[in-house]
Amino acid sequence: MNKRIYFYQKFYFRQKLVVIRVMYDNPILFFICALGVFNGFLVAFYFLFFNKQKRVQNFFFGLLVLFLSLRIGKSLYVIFTPREERNFWLIQIGLSACFLIGISLFYYIKASVENKKHIPTSWKTHMGILVAFILIIGVLFPYPYHLRFWGTYFAYFIYLVWGVYLIASGYVLRDVLKKMLVGKTSVSTSELWLIAVFIANILIYTAYLIGLFFFYFVGTITFSVVFYVLLIMFLSKRNREMIFENIPEKYAAKKITTTEADELVTQLKELVVVKELYKSTSIKISDIAKELHITSHKLSQLLNDNVGKSFAAFMNDFRIAEAKKLLEERKELTLEAIGFEAGFSSKSNFYATFKKSVGQTPSQYQKQFLSS
């Protein structure tokens, strides 16, 4: 056991020497990384204290950037400060901040996806427990007197917690990621920003895992690179206005309860039948949503999740029923006229939809009623 610890310390020390030697020979690289950390603090303070839009998302984004900047700043401090001159309490602050990166990312993405207006009490409790835990560990096992504990065992635990929250963040973001990968519908700027922030955190986390065993400075370099990439994306005026907009409500809305869904479906069917809305070829989902006093997104969710049909398929059911009635009773009308009377936009659309739904063409269906 002692040999393993000695080997680890010897390897780790040699690695640090190599990194320091390389970095002192590259002052420009150090300047870029240090500037990235400095700008990170500025961005964090802006979103935490000076941003006019007091949104839950902005608060957690500020925390995320703050904890990342503290962690990266700790790396710079360790590399460029001789061991005998280091303030180990500052190193403890950097590692403690690393413990809170994952939870900040998780709540930032969750608040964005769910369009939170206020921080739930459960979130405050969860965050408070983690903060209390890392403070208690810091008091019971201060870094200056427990270097081996913080440098090995507890460091692994910190990265494990970070990784768990990273996976949880990906799960919360799954619908947005699926939307981007499938590519059937366009991804909004706010969704792209969330994906970019998530990927940036994966890169930084991976870099620090590599740095934990091999090249220590890789995490700092990665942070600087992804920070400047995100900064370029943010600096565009159009992007800056759209990045922090609420993402489409399809991903934010909670599941509609069964009771509410039953009431809405009843109201919806009654509205469509009484006002014969299906007969309008230009009817839109927003028109009906307005009549029901709900959003278009909620109506779309109701149809998809609770009725199991798209808006077009739902309206076509009423048109098919109307077409059947006309085919049975209005024999003087042409098939094309019946299609338009039922609400279909064209003859071809009427024929194709009717055949798919009924299994017969309109003329075949009508023949069985002609003799009578």
Side-chain angles (χ1 to χ4, degrees):
M1 185 68 179
N2 291 333
K3 284 186 177 181
R4 284 184 60 191
I5 295 174
Y6 173 75
F7 174 78
Y8 171 81
Q9 291 175 335
K10 186 176 180 181
F11 174 79
Y12 193 67
F13 180 70
R14 285 181 177 177
Q15 167 200 336
K16 289 282 186 68
L17 288 179
V18 172
V19 171
I20 292 173
R21 190 178 299 114
V22 171
M23 292 311 303
Y24 273 126
D25 292 337
N26 293 273
I28 295 178
L29 188 57
F30 165 72
F31 173 76
I32 292 174
C33 294
L35 188 62
V37 173
F38 176 75
N39 288 329
F41 282 118
L42 292 181
V43 170
F45 291 145
Y46 169 75
F47 280 101
L48 287 173
F49 305 111
F50 303 108
N51 187 23
K52 294 180 181 179
Q53 291 183 315
K54 302 300 181 182
R55 301 169 72 238
V56 175
Q57 296 92 322
N58 293 355
F59 172 74
F60 281 108
F61 182 72
L63 284 182
L64 172 62
V65 178
L66 175 63
F67 292 140
L68 277 170
S69 299
L70 284 170
R71 179 62 185 88
I72 308 302
K74 175 259 180 189
S75 298
L76 278 173
Y77 180 75
V78 168
I79 291 173
F80 289 94
T81 304
R83 184 179 179 85
E84 61 276 6
E85 297 178 14
R86 293 176 193 165
N87 184 325
F88 290 106
W89 295 107
L90 293 179
I91 298 176
Q92 179 173 321
I93 291 174
L95 286 173
S96 300
C98 186
F99 183 72
L100 300 172
I101 292 173
I103 186 66
S104 300
L105 172 68
F106 175 72
Y107 279 143
Y108 168 60
I109 290 179
K110 193 170 178 64
S112 299
V113 169
E114 297 179 0
N115 290 332
K116 291 293 186 182
K117 306 301 179 185
H118 305 284
I119 302 176
T121 303
S122 59
W123 291 20
K124 296 177 182 178
T125 303
H126 189 170
M127 197 85 180
I129 291 173
L130 292 183
V131 171
F133 174 79
I134 196 65
L135 289 176
I136 291 172
I137 291 295
V139 171
L140 296 179
F141 305 95
Y143 188 94
Y145 308 106
H146 298 84
L147 298 180
R148 184 182 301 171
F149 170 77
W150 282 84
T152 54
Y153 311 114
F154 195 57
Y156 300 149
F157 176 72
I158 288 174
Y159 285 108
L160 174 63
V161 171
W162 186 0
V164 169
Y165 281 112
L166 200 57
I167 294 171
S169 301
Y171 180 78
V172 173
L173 202 58
R174 65 191 183 282
D175 287 330
V176 181
L177 291 168
K178 182 180 179 181
K179 181 181 177 182
M180 183 188 71
L181 294 174
V182 172
K184 290 184 178 179
T185 54
S186 59
V187 181
S188 68
T189 303
S190 57
E191 291 171 327
L192 279 175
W193 173 259
L194 282 182
I195 294 171
V197 171
F198 177 65
I199 292 175
N201 275 265
I202 291 178
L203 292 175
I204 295 171
Y205 178 75
T206 304
Y208 264 106
L209 285 185
I210 295 172
L212 193 62
F213 300 101
F214 301 104
F215 186 39
Y216 184 76
F217 200 71
V218 70
T220 308
I221 297 173
T222 304
F223 170 79
S224 300
V225 172
V226 299
F227 178 83
Y228 288 118
V229 170
L230 292 177
L231 187 63
I232 291 171
M233 182 180 178
F234 177 76
L235 286 178
S236 165
K237 183 178 179 181
R238 181 175 178 275
N239 286 346
R240 195 164 62 248
E241 293 172 350
M242 299 178 67
I243 277 173
F244 299 103
E245 287 182 351
N246 291 339
I247 67 172
E249 197 169 337
K250 176 182 177 181
Y251 303 106
K254 293 180 180 179
K255 188 174 180 62
I256 302 173
T257 62
T258 304
T259 303
E260 184 185 9
D262 291 341
E263 292 177 359
L264 284 174
V265 170
T266 301
Q267 293 175 26
L268 174 62
K269 290 180 177 179
E270 184 179 345
L271 175 67
V272 172
V273 171
V274 171
K275 292 193 174 185
E276 296 186 330
L277 298 178
Y278 56 88
K279 289 189 175 183
S280 172
T281 57
S282 60
I283 192 72
K284 293 180 291 199
I285 191 170
S286 57
D287 299 327
I288 297 181
K290 192 183 242 184
E291 293 275 357
L292 291 172
H293 305 292
I294 61 176
T295 65
S296 301
H297 296 298
K298 187 167 185 176
L299 179 53
S300 177
Q301 183 189 14
L302 175 73
L303 292 170
N304 289 322
D305 295 348
N306 300 93
V307 181
K309 295 180 179 180
S310 65
F311 174 69
F314 179 77
M315 296 301 289
N316 281 339
D317 284 348
F318 291 95
R319 291 170 180 146
I320 293 294
E322 180 68 15
K324 283 182 176 180
K325 181 181 177 183
L326 293 173
L327 287 168
E328 294 170 16
E329 301 175 358
R330 301 287 301 275
K331 300 178 181 62
E332 76 279 6
L333 294 177
T334 65
L335 295 179
E336 186 174 4
I338 288 175
F340 284 118
E341 182 69 20
F344 289 98
S345 57
S346 66
K347 181 180 178 180
S348 59
N349 184 25
F350 170 45
Y351 272 62
T353 306
F354 193 94
K355 176 73 182 293
K356 183 178 180 181
S357 176
V358 181
Q360 295 177 303
T361 64
S363 58
Q364 289 172 338
Y365 181 84
Q366 192 183 48
K367 280 182 181 178
Q368 57 190 313
F369 302 99
L370 289 177
S371 58
S372 59

